[in-house]
């Protein structure tokens, strides 16, 4: 039960409670020390007073028999000794017990609790001094009365309790204020974390309190700012991806319209010519062969066009044949359409479905730019494992994709097309990088593509 209650307390309450316990324990230890030191102190005072009183009485009664009336002289001595403090000197009664202690001395300890007197002075110390008057033996009983010493100790305990309690209370209040101010940033941190959890990344905590807490507040502000930037970047990437998808659909639609339209028109023309030859009943083998060959040529062009469109939408055979074979087919297609360009390749093994598709898209887009804009005569494509970039966390493997041509390069200030821009954002979303370097010797595109977790 106590552990559960302790766990429910806040840090400030725990510190205040511990401080109160420490101060209370310190006060209790100090009071206990006064009480423990009080017992030997009372005992020492008791013994000292009793010894001095005994020596004094023995000195006085030594010449008692020389007095004219020894008994009267002894009564006068006993009455005079009643004025002494801390001791009581009385006649020993016939029963051997001392007479009652003076009431005035007992009243001195009236303000001291009886349990405290019993604690410090549990037993009364009494010393008997024998007296002989003309051969008649009697005795004076010296009884210690350390009420003043006990009252002094009791006053010290009360003073210690009063002053110690006041000091402890003041220290406790000061500690509460200091701890409250020092831990005040924790409440702001808790509110900021709740805000971040709910998606509010614009929170700001004013650094304060202890240096450690101020540093935590500063780092929390940076964390919230970084998270906000990351979320905003993610949103922009999502918007960009949707925009690029729309652009790609528009391009495909435009290509379908621009390419399919002329092909279909040509096919319609040649098919119409064949129909007219058939209806005319004229046997014109050369004409039929001419129109049939044209139709076959158009169909072949349509097949190649359809293959390019399908390759753009989804590489055929990538999952079944692997990266090497899929890229080989892509390179053969470009080589067939541009036999004047020399293509060199160094392709590594398959690196995983996501990585293979990304690598394929990078090479596809790079080759598209080369054959459309670079006017190059040689292209080098290499794909090989690479070390993890410096500063990148995690246990991922990486692949370096490099496409280099000897074309005319990029013009100063020339922007990337939608294809390369989409590839860069795709790779960034996966945790990789894409760089484009242009010079007199052509353009080099390098992409660091994450492959798979170790």
């Amino acid at each position: 039960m106590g552990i559960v209650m302790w766990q429910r307390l806040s840090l400030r309450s725990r510190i205040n409670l511990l401080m109160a316990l420490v101060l209370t324990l310190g006060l209790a230890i100090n009071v206990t020390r006064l009480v423990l030191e009080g017992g030997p102190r009372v005992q020492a005072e008791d013994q000292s007073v009793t010894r001095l009183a005994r020596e004094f009485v023995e000195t006085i009664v030594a010449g008692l028999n020389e007095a004219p009336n020894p008994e009267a002289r002894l009564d006068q001595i006993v009455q005079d000794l009643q004025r002494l403090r801390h001791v009581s000197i009385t006649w020993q009664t016939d029963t051997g017990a001392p007479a009652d202690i003076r009431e005035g001395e007992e009243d001195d300890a009236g303000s001291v609790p009886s349990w405290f007197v019993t604690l410090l002075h549990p037993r009364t110390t009494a010393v008997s001094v024998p007296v002989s008057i003309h051969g008649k033996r009697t005795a004076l009983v010296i009884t210690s009365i350390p009420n003043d010493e006990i009252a002094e100790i009791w006053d010290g305990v009360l003073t210690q309790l009063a002053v110690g309690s006041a000091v402890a209370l003041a220290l406790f209040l000061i500690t509460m204020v200091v701890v409250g101010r020092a831990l005040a940033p924790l409440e702001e941190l808790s509110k900021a974390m709740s805000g971040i959890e709910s998606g509010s990344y614009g929170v700001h905590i004013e650094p304060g309190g202890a240096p450690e807490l101020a540093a935590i507040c500063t780092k929390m502000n940076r964390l919230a700012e970084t998270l906000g930037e990351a979320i905003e970047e993610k949103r922009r990437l999502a918007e960009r991806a949707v925009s690029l998808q729309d652009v790609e659909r528009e391009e495909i639609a435009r290509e379908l319209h621009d390419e399919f339209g002329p092909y279909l028109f040509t096919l319609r023309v040649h098919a119409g010519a064949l129909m007219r030859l058939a209806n005319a009943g004229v046997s014109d083998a050369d004409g039929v062969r001419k129109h049939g060959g044209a139709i076959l040529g158009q169909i072949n062009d349509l097949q190649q066009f359809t293959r390019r469109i399908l390759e753009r939408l989804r590489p055929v055979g990538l999952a079944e044949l692997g990266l090497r074979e899929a890229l080989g087919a892509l390179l053969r297609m470009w080589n067939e359409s541009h036999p004047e360009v020399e293509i060199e390749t160094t392709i590594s093994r398959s690196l995983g479905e996501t990585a293979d598709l990304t690598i394929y898209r990078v090479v596809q887009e790079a080759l598209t730019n080369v054959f459309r804009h670079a006017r190059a005569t040689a292209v080098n494509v290499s794909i090989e494992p690479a070390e993890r970039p410096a500063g990148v966390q995690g246990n991922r493997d990486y692949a370096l994709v490099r496409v280099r041509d000897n074309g005319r390069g990029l013009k100063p200030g020339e922007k990337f097309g939608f294809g390369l821009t989409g590839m860069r954002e795709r790779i960034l979303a996966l945790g990789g990088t894409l760089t484009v370097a242009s010079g007199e010797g052509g353009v080099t595109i390098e992409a660091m593509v994450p492959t798979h977790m170790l």
Side-chain angles (χ1 to χ4, degrees), residues 23 29 78 91 136 177 184 236 255-256 260 297 302 322 325 386 401 403:
L23 292 175
I29 291 175
V78 171
W91 286 99
K136 181 180 178 182
V177 174
R236 287 197 297 267
E255 289 188 14
L256 289 174
F260 264 79
L302 275 175
E325 296 298 330
V401 182
V403 179

Side-chain angles (χ1 to χ4, degrees), residues 6-18 179 183 186 213:
W6 173 261
Q7 292 176 346
R8 292 179 178 176
L9 292 177
S10 64
L11 179 59
R12 178 185 300 179
S13 300
R14 293 182 184 184
I15 294 177
N16 291 335
L17 181 58
L18 288 176
V179 170
L183 299 181
L186 290 180
L213 288 178

Side-chain angles (χ1 to χ4, degrees), residues 25-318:
L25 181 61
L27 183 61
I29 291 175
N30 204 15
V31 170
T32 302
R33 179 186 60 81
L34 290 178
V35 173
L36 293 178
E37 292 176 353
R41 176 179 165 185
V42 171
Q43 185 178 2
E45 180 73 14
D46 196 11
Q47 294 176 354
S48 176
V49 170
T50 302
R51 185 180 68 255
L52 290 176
R54 180 174 181 173
E55 293 175 356
F56 180 69
V57 170
E58 288 177 348
T59 301
I60 292 176
V61 300
L64 187 63
N65 290 325
E66 299 177 359
N69 190 352
E71 292 183 356
R73 176 60 180 164
L74 183 59
D75 288 337
Q76 184 62 40
I77 289 173
V78 171
Q79 292 179 4
D80 292 339
L81 291 178
Q82 293 297 320
R83 293 194 295 270
L84 293 176
R85 297 180 63 82
H86 304 300
V87 293
S88 173
I89 302 177
T90 58
W91 286 99
Q92 187 174 16
T93 62
D94 296 338
T95 61
D100 293 337
I101 300 175
R102 298 192 304 269
E103 294 181 359
E105 293 291 344
E106 289 293 333
D107 292 338
D108 292 341
S111 59
V112 182
S114 58
W115 62 266
F116 189 75
V117 176
T118 304
L119 180 65
L120 294 183
H121 194 251
R123 290 179 298 180
T124 303
T125 302
V127 178
S128 178
V129 179
V131 179
S132 176
I133 302 177
H134 300 303
K136 181 180 178 182
R137 293 184 174 277
T138 184
L140 295 178
V141 179
I142 302 174
T143 305
S144 67
I145 307 177
N147 292 341
D148 289 344
E149 189 70 20
I150 294 176
E152 182 179 346
I153 296 173
W154 175 249
D155 290 340
V157 170
L158 294 180
T159 302
Q160 181 65 39
L161 285 173
V163 175
S165 299
V167 172
L169 181 60
L171 289 176
F172 180 71
L173 294 177
I174 294 173
T175 303
M176 283 184 62
V177 174
V178 173
V179 170
R181 291 184 177 181
L183 299 181
L186 290 180
E187 296 181 2
E188 297 297 326
L189 283 171
S190 178
K191 294 179 181 178
M193 290 180 181
S194 299
I196 292 174
E197 183 180 5
S198 62
S200 177
Y201 302 102
V203 295
H204 179 76
I205 309 171
E206 189 66 28
E212 295 82 358
L213 288 178
I216 293 175
C217 292
T218 302
K219 293 179 180 179
M220 178 59 69
N221 291 333
R222 294 176 182 172
L223 176 61
E225 183 179 355
T226 302
L227 285 174
E229 293 175 354
I231 294 299
E232 181 63 22
E233 181 66 21
K234 181 180 178 181
R235 185 190 62 80
R236 287 197 297 267
L237 284 174
E239 291 181 353
R240 189 63 176 169
V242 173
S243 176
L244 289 174
Q245 288 177 358
D246 292 339
V247 170
E248 188 174 11
R249 291 190 181 101
E250 290 178 2
E251 288 185 353
I252 293 175
R254 184 168 56 253
E255 289 188 14
L256 289 174
H257 177 271
D258 295 342
E259 295 287 345
F260 264 79
Y263 286 138
L264 293 176
F265 177 76
T266 304
L267 288 174
R268 181 186 293 274
V269 170
H270 290 293
L274 290 175
M275 289 295 295
R276 285 194 297 273
L277 289 175
N279 292 332
V282 179
S283 178
D284 188 359
D286 292 336
V288 173
R289 188 179 300 108
K290 175 183 175 182
H291 291 296
I295 291 175
L296 290 175
Q298 292 297 312
I299 291 174
N300 184 52
D301 292 340
L302 275 175
Q303 287 178 337
Q304 292 185 2
F305 173 73
T306 304
R307 187 187 306 170
R308 289 199 303 270
I309 294 295
L310 292 176
E311 288 290 337
R312 289 184 57 184
L313 295 176
R314 175 69 182 177
V316 179
L318 178 61

